[in-house]
Short mmCIF file of all heavy atoms in Angstrom, two decimals:
data_model
loop_
_atom_site.label_atom_id
_atom_site.label_comp_id
_atom_site.label_asym_id
_atom_site.label_seq_id
_atom_site.Cartn_x
_atom_site.Cartn_y
_atom_site.Cartn_z
N THR A 71 13.84 -54.94 9.86
CA THR A 71 13.57 -55.54 11.17
C THR A 71 13.36 -57.04 11.05
O THR A 71 13.94 -57.82 11.83
CB THR A 71 12.31 -54.88 11.79
OG1 THR A 71 12.51 -53.46 11.80
CG2 THR A 71 12.05 -55.37 13.19
N LEU A 74 16.73 -58.67 10.47
CA LEU A 74 17.56 -58.76 11.68
C LEU A 74 17.06 -59.89 12.57
O LEU A 74 17.86 -60.65 13.14
CB LEU A 74 17.51 -57.42 12.45
CG LEU A 74 18.22 -56.23 11.79
CD1 LEU A 74 17.87 -54.92 12.51
CD2 LEU A 74 19.73 -56.42 11.75
N TYR A 75 15.75 -60.03 12.65
CA TYR A 75 15.17 -61.11 13.45
C TYR A 75 15.60 -62.48 12.92
O TYR A 75 16.05 -63.34 13.67
CB TYR A 75 13.63 -61.00 13.47
CG TYR A 75 13.00 -62.04 14.35
CD1 TYR A 75 12.88 -61.85 15.72
CD2 TYR A 75 12.56 -63.26 13.81
CE1 TYR A 75 12.34 -62.83 16.53
CE2 TYR A 75 12.02 -64.25 14.61
CZ TYR A 75 11.90 -64.02 15.97
OH TYR A 75 11.38 -65.00 16.78
N LEU A 78 19.41 -63.21 13.44
CA LEU A 78 19.73 -63.65 14.81
C LEU A 78 19.30 -65.11 15.00
O LEU A 78 19.98 -65.88 15.66
CB LEU A 78 19.01 -62.76 15.83
CG LEU A 78 19.49 -61.31 15.96
CD1 LEU A 78 18.59 -60.53 16.92
CD2 LEU A 78 20.94 -61.23 16.45
N VAL A 83 20.75 -67.50 18.07
CA VAL A 83 20.47 -66.69 19.27
C VAL A 83 19.21 -67.23 19.95
O VAL A 83 18.21 -67.52 19.29
CB VAL A 83 20.29 -65.19 18.90
CG1 VAL A 83 19.68 -64.41 20.05
CG2 VAL A 83 21.63 -64.60 18.50
N ASP A 84 19.27 -67.41 21.27
CA ASP A 84 18.11 -67.89 22.02
C ASP A 84 18.08 -67.22 23.40
O ASP A 84 18.83 -66.27 23.64
CB ASP A 84 18.11 -69.42 22.14
CG ASP A 84 19.34 -69.95 22.86
OD1 ASP A 84 19.96 -69.19 23.64
OD2 ASP A 84 19.69 -71.12 22.65
N ALA A 85 17.24 -67.73 24.27
CA ALA A 85 17.01 -67.09 25.57
C ALA A 85 18.27 -67.05 26.45
O ALA A 85 18.33 -66.30 27.41
CB ALA A 85 15.88 -67.79 26.30
N ARG A 86 19.26 -67.87 26.11
CA ARG A 86 20.48 -67.88 26.92
C ARG A 86 21.55 -66.91 26.37
O ARG A 86 22.61 -66.77 26.96
CB ARG A 86 21.07 -69.30 26.94
CG ARG A 86 20.20 -70.32 27.65
CD ARG A 86 20.83 -71.72 27.58
NE ARG A 86 21.03 -72.16 26.20
CZ ARG A 86 20.12 -72.82 25.49
NH1 ARG A 86 18.94 -73.10 26.01
NH2 ARG A 86 20.38 -73.19 24.25
N SER A 87 21.24 -66.26 25.26
CA SER A 87 22.27 -65.46 24.58
C SER A 87 22.31 -64.00 25.02
O SER A 87 21.31 -63.45 25.47
CB SER A 87 22.03 -65.47 23.06
OG SER A 87 21.80 -66.76 22.57
N GLU A 88 23.49 -63.43 24.84
CA GLU A 88 23.65 -61.98 24.94
C GLU A 88 24.11 -61.47 23.58
O GLU A 88 24.91 -62.12 22.90
CB GLU A 88 24.70 -61.61 25.99
CG GLU A 88 24.23 -61.92 27.41
CD GLU A 88 25.25 -61.58 28.49
OE1 GLU A 88 26.38 -61.16 28.14
OE2 GLU A 88 24.93 -61.75 29.67
N VAL A 89 23.57 -60.33 23.20
CA VAL A 89 23.91 -59.75 21.90
C VAL A 89 24.37 -58.31 22.11
O VAL A 89 23.68 -57.51 22.73
CB VAL A 89 22.69 -59.79 20.94
CG1 VAL A 89 23.04 -59.13 19.61
CG2 VAL A 89 22.22 -61.22 20.72
N THR A 91 25.30 -54.58 21.01
CA THR A 91 24.99 -53.57 20.00
C THR A 91 25.16 -52.17 20.57
O THR A 91 25.63 -51.99 21.69
CB THR A 91 23.59 -53.80 19.38
OG1 THR A 91 23.45 -52.97 18.21
CG2 THR A 91 22.46 -53.46 20.35
N PRO A 97 14.99 -48.35 17.53
CA PRO A 97 14.61 -49.38 18.50
C PRO A 97 14.62 -50.81 17.95
O PRO A 97 14.95 -51.75 18.68
CB PRO A 97 13.18 -48.97 18.90
CG PRO A 97 13.14 -47.49 18.69
CD PRO A 97 14.06 -47.20 17.54
N SER A 98 14.31 -50.99 16.67
CA SER A 98 14.16 -52.36 16.18
C SER A 98 15.45 -53.17 16.27
O SER A 98 15.41 -54.39 16.40
CB SER A 98 13.60 -52.39 14.76
OG SER A 98 14.53 -51.90 13.85
N THR A 99 16.61 -52.51 16.21
CA THR A 99 17.89 -53.22 16.32
C THR A 99 17.94 -54.03 17.63
O THR A 99 18.42 -55.17 17.65
CB THR A 99 19.08 -52.23 16.32
OG1 THR A 99 18.87 -51.25 15.32
CG2 THR A 99 20.40 -52.94 16.10
N ALA A 100 17.46 -53.42 18.70
CA ALA A 100 17.47 -54.10 20.00
C ALA A 100 16.17 -54.88 20.23
O ALA A 100 16.18 -55.93 20.88
CB ALA A 100 17.69 -53.09 21.11
N ASN A 101 15.07 -54.38 19.70
CA ASN A 101 13.78 -55.09 19.89
C ASN A 101 13.88 -56.55 19.41
O ASN A 101 13.37 -57.45 20.07
CB ASN A 101 12.66 -54.41 19.11
CG ASN A 101 12.23 -53.07 19.72
OD1 ASN A 101 12.63 -52.73 20.82
ND2 ASN A 101 11.41 -52.32 18.99
N VAL A 102 14.54 -56.76 18.27
CA VAL A 102 14.60 -58.13 17.73
C VAL A 102 15.41 -59.06 18.64
O VAL A 102 15.16 -60.27 18.68
CB VAL A 102 15.16 -58.17 16.28
CG1 VAL A 102 14.18 -57.54 15.31
CG2 VAL A 102 16.53 -57.51 16.18
N ILE A 103 16.36 -58.47 19.36
CA ILE A 103 17.13 -59.27 20.33
C ILE A 103 16.18 -59.72 21.45
O ILE A 103 16.17 -60.89 21.85
CB ILE A 103 18.30 -58.43 20.91
CG1 ILE A 103 19.26 -58.01 19.77
CG2 ILE A 103 19.04 -59.19 22.01
CD1 ILE A 103 20.30 -56.96 20.17
N VAL A 104 15.36 -58.78 21.90
CA VAL A 104 14.38 -59.09 22.96
C VAL A 104 13.35 -60.11 22.47
O VAL A 104 12.94 -61.00 23.23
CB VAL A 104 13.68 -57.78 23.44
CG1 VAL A 104 12.61 -58.09 24.47
CG2 VAL A 104 14.71 -56.80 24.00
N HIS A 105 12.94 -60.00 21.21
CA HIS A 105 11.98 -60.98 20.66
C HIS A 105 12.50 -62.41 20.76
O HIS A 105 11.73 -63.35 20.85
CB HIS A 105 11.66 -60.67 19.20
CG HIS A 105 10.93 -59.38 19.01
ND1 HIS A 105 10.86 -58.73 17.80
CD2 HIS A 105 10.25 -58.60 19.89
CE1 HIS A 105 10.17 -57.60 17.95
NE2 HIS A 105 9.79 -57.51 19.20
N HIS A 106 13.81 -62.57 20.69
CA HIS A 106 14.41 -63.90 20.84
C HIS A 106 14.65 -64.25 22.31
O HIS A 106 15.32 -65.24 22.60
CB HIS A 106 15.74 -63.98 20.07
CG HIS A 106 15.56 -64.13 18.59
ND1 HIS A 106 15.04 -65.27 18.02
CD2 HIS A 106 15.82 -63.28 17.56
CE1 HIS A 106 15.01 -65.12 16.70
NE2 HIS A 106 15.46 -63.93 16.39
N ARG A 107 14.16 -63.40 23.21
CA ARG A 107 14.35 -63.57 24.66
C ARG A 107 15.82 -63.48 25.06
O ARG A 107 16.21 -63.90 26.15
CB ARG A 107 13.78 -64.91 25.15
CG ARG A 107 12.34 -65.17 24.75
CD ARG A 107 11.39 -64.68 25.82
NE ARG A 107 9.99 -64.86 25.43
CZ ARG A 107 9.23 -63.92 24.86
NH1 ARG A 107 9.73 -62.72 24.59
NH2 ARG A 107 7.97 -64.14 24.54
N ALA A 108 16.64 -62.95 24.16
CA ALA A 108 18.05 -62.76 24.48
C ALA A 108 18.23 -61.40 25.15
O ALA A 108 17.29 -60.60 25.21
CB ALA A 108 18.89 -62.85 23.21
N LYS A 109 19.44 -61.15 25.65
CA LYS A 109 19.67 -59.90 26.37
C LYS A 109 20.50 -58.93 25.52
O LYS A 109 21.61 -59.28 25.09
CB LYS A 109 20.41 -60.22 27.68
CG LYS A 109 20.47 -59.02 28.61
CD LYS A 109 21.05 -59.41 29.96
CE LYS A 109 21.17 -58.17 30.84
NZ LYS A 109 22.01 -58.40 32.02
N PRO A 110 19.96 -57.73 25.29
CA PRO A 110 20.76 -56.73 24.56
C PRO A 110 21.81 -56.13 25.48
O PRO A 110 21.49 -55.72 26.61
CB PRO A 110 19.73 -55.68 24.14
CG PRO A 110 18.58 -55.84 25.08
CD PRO A 110 18.62 -57.23 25.64
N ILE A 111 23.05 -56.12 25.02
CA ILE A 111 24.15 -55.54 25.80
C ILE A 111 24.66 -54.32 25.01
O ILE A 111 25.21 -54.48 23.92
CB ILE A 111 25.31 -56.56 25.97
CG1 ILE A 111 24.81 -57.86 26.61
CG2 ILE A 111 26.47 -55.94 26.76
CD1 ILE A 111 24.35 -57.75 28.05
N PHE A 112 24.45 -53.15 25.56
CA PHE A 112 24.89 -51.95 24.85
C PHE A 112 26.35 -51.65 25.14
O PHE A 112 26.85 -51.88 26.25
CB PHE A 112 24.03 -50.74 25.24
CG PHE A 112 22.60 -50.83 24.79
CD1 PHE A 112 21.55 -50.66 25.69
CD2 PHE A 112 22.29 -51.09 23.46
CE1 PHE A 112 20.22 -50.73 25.27
CE2 PHE A 112 20.96 -51.17 23.04
CZ PHE A 112 19.93 -50.99 23.95
N VAL A 139 26.18 -56.78 16.87
CA VAL A 139 25.37 -56.13 15.83
C VAL A 139 25.82 -54.67 15.67
O VAL A 139 25.33 -53.78 16.37
CB VAL A 139 23.86 -56.17 16.15
CG1 VAL A 139 23.04 -55.51 15.03
CG2 VAL A 139 23.38 -57.60 16.38
N LEU A 341 18.99 -45.40 23.13
CA LEU A 341 17.97 -46.43 23.37
C LEU A 341 17.88 -46.87 24.83
O LEU A 341 16.80 -47.23 25.31
CB LEU A 341 18.29 -47.63 22.47
CG LEU A 341 17.14 -48.53 22.07
CD1 LEU A 341 15.95 -47.75 21.55
CD2 LEU A 341 17.62 -49.52 21.01
N TYR A 346 11.09 -48.65 28.03
CA TYR A 346 11.15 -50.11 28.09
C TYR A 346 12.55 -50.59 28.49
O TYR A 346 12.70 -51.43 29.39
CB TYR A 346 10.73 -50.76 26.77
CG TYR A 346 11.00 -52.25 26.79
CD1 TYR A 346 10.12 -53.11 27.46
CD2 TYR A 346 12.16 -52.79 26.24
CE1 TYR A 346 10.39 -54.46 27.56
CE2 TYR A 346 12.43 -54.14 26.34
CZ TYR A 346 11.55 -54.97 27.00
OH TYR A 346 11.81 -56.31 27.10
N TYR A 347 13.56 -50.06 27.82
CA TYR A 347 14.94 -50.54 28.07
C TYR A 347 15.43 -50.13 29.45
O TYR A 347 16.10 -50.90 30.14
CB TYR A 347 15.86 -50.07 26.93
CG TYR A 347 15.57 -50.90 25.70
CD1 TYR A 347 14.67 -50.46 24.73
CD2 TYR A 347 16.09 -52.18 25.57
CE1 TYR A 347 14.35 -51.26 23.64
CE2 TYR A 347 15.78 -52.99 24.50
CZ TYR A 347 14.90 -52.52 23.53
OH TYR A 347 14.57 -53.33 22.49
N LYS A 348 15.06 -48.92 29.84
CA LYS A 348 15.44 -48.41 31.16
C LYS A 348 14.81 -49.29 32.25
O LYS A 348 15.50 -49.77 33.16
CB LYS A 348 14.88 -46.99 31.27
CG LYS A 348 15.65 -46.08 32.13
CD LYS A 348 15.11 -44.66 31.91
CE LYS A 348 15.46 -43.77 33.06
NZ LYS A 348 15.06 -42.39 32.79
N THR A 350 13.30 -52.31 32.02
CA THR A 350 13.50 -53.75 31.96
C THR A 350 14.92 -54.15 32.33
O THR A 350 15.14 -55.15 33.01
CB THR A 350 13.17 -54.29 30.55
OG1 THR A 350 11.90 -53.76 30.18
CG2 THR A 350 13.14 -55.81 30.51
N PHE A 351 15.89 -53.37 31.86
CA PHE A 351 17.28 -53.79 32.05
C PHE A 351 18.03 -52.91 33.06
O PHE A 351 19.22 -53.10 33.30
CB PHE A 351 18.00 -53.80 30.69
CG PHE A 351 17.37 -54.74 29.70
CD1 PHE A 351 16.53 -54.25 28.69
CD2 PHE A 351 17.55 -56.11 29.79
CE1 PHE A 351 15.92 -55.11 27.79
CE2 PHE A 351 16.94 -56.98 28.89
CZ PHE A 351 16.12 -56.48 27.89
N PHE A 353 18.90 -49.72 32.98
CA PHE A 353 19.88 -48.72 32.52
C PHE A 353 19.58 -47.38 33.17
O PHE A 353 18.44 -47.09 33.54
CB PHE A 353 19.80 -48.55 30.99
CG PHE A 353 20.21 -49.77 30.23
CD1 PHE A 353 19.33 -50.39 29.36
CD2 PHE A 353 21.49 -50.29 30.36
CE1 PHE A 353 19.70 -51.51 28.64
CE2 PHE A 353 21.88 -51.41 29.64
CZ PHE A 353 20.98 -52.03 28.78
#
Side-chain angles (χ1 to χ4, degrees):
T71 306
L74 291 169
Y75 183 84
L78 291 174
V83 166
D84 61 23
R86 294 178 301 271
S87 312
E88 291 180 356
V89 178
T91 192
S98 70
T99 316
N101 288 350
V102 292
I103 299 169
V104 176
H105 294 162
H106 283 292
R107 308 268 177 265
K109 191 173 177 194
I111 304 292
F112 293 127
V139 182
L341 206 48
Y346 171 79
Y347 286 94
K348 210 170 160 174
T350 311
F351 301 101
F353 294 121

